[in-house]
Amino acid sequence: MNSGPDPKVLEQLVGKVVGDVAGAMGVFMAYLGDQAGVYHALDEAGPSTVEELASKTGLNPKYLHEWLGANAAAGYVTYDGVNERFSLSQEQALVFTREGQPACMQGFFQAIVAQYETHAKAVKTFQSGKGRPWSQQSKCCFCSTDRFFRPGYAANLVENWIPALDGVDAKLKSGAKIADIGCGHGSSSILLAQAYPKSKVYAFDFHEPSIIEARQKAKAAGVKNVRFAVARAQDFPGKDFDLACIFDALHDMGDPVGAARHIRESLGPKGTFMLVEPLAGDSMSENLHPLGQIFYAFSTVICTPASLAQEVGLGLGAQAGQKRLTAVLNQAGFSHVRRAAETPTNMVLEVKS
Ligand SMILES: C[S@@+](CC[C@H](N)C(=O)[O-])C[C@H]1O[C@@H](n2cnc3c(N)ncnc32)[C@H](O)[C@@H]1O
């Protein structure tokens, strides 16, 4: 006999969902605070009343009162109820204001808000089963992708990932030819160019607005040894690269086997392919945790539709795992695949013929 839903299990599930809804609104409030400069103002001012913060920011105290309440309830700002003052602890300041630090989550928040911005397209794509080109994401999606990934690259690429590849650091120091494929706004390309001034970085992406943005960033940074070009991963120009890299983009490609094959053909005889992909286990059961949930969700609305919109449309997904990635690389003719490094969010594979 079916005894109906278990009240305890139901209560737990409802409690979890209420927490998630609070989290979703928390993310949106964090985005508002970022865009309106409230966290920065509070960080600068120190413990402040609503009125003090309103006069510092020029924002309406009525709105600020509600926003601060939501943030204090979320634990995003600290509230001293006796003196009716709000402040940011060092940790809160790090997470909400310190742009470029790995602990700063604003890129994450922006990436989620960008998905809500184009929710109608996401529903249509999901129902149709058809692809949705990368170019049909919102502009906020492109800059948030860069904002989200850049701190991880800044912290790890030169310090940990390159040195973990056999013999690559020495080559790049003495002057080598690097390809960065699917470079987006070019943060990884610029970091490589800055760290290895004797090397030359050729960075490619098929999305022209991203290449325009990347060129502007390189110019602003005064970096001369990087060139950006609009090109597809499966037929970008150039030969004899010492290092080819793909950062968090292979699974977005329609034809990852074709892209990897073209990379193999474009590398010099002793060249290395560094593949950076989201960290994932080989089975879905291994990925059922908050980070896996986030990657699967982004993959539902960004990565898989971007892949399905292209030729072949393999749709690897953002949680492919090393085994599946190795199969793709083997199919492209690479025989050596080694996990050279990993972070809580990424795996770094050293790939050779
Ligand atoms: C998630 S973004 C990562 C961008 C950048 N590597 C980063 O880490 O910030 C994926 C990128 O892959 C690019 N992309 C997807 N398919 C491509 C293809 N077939 N050829 C070239 N670029 C492609 C997209 O335009 C996008 O910039």
Side-chain angles (χ1 to χ4, degrees), residues 134 145 149 153 182-184 205-207 231-234 247-249 252-253 310:
W134 179 258
T145 299
F149 282 127
Y153 300 159
C183 65
D205 199 291
F206 75 167
H207 182 236
R232 304 188 318 166
Q234 52 275 43
F247 296 91
D248 286 296
D252 296 291
M253 295 175 184
Q310 299 180 38

Side-chain angles (χ1 to χ4, degrees), residues 9 45 53 81 87-88 132 137 145 149 153-154 180 241 251 256 261 263 269 275 298 307 318 324 327 353:
V9 175
L53 197 57
S87 60
L88 289 181
R132 175 179 170 198
Q137 293 290 336
T145 299
F149 282 127
Y153 300 159
D180 182 2
F241 291 101
H251 64 272
R261 188 180 296 120
I263 285 174
L275 177 61
F298 278 128
S307 174
R324 180 82 183 92
S353 285

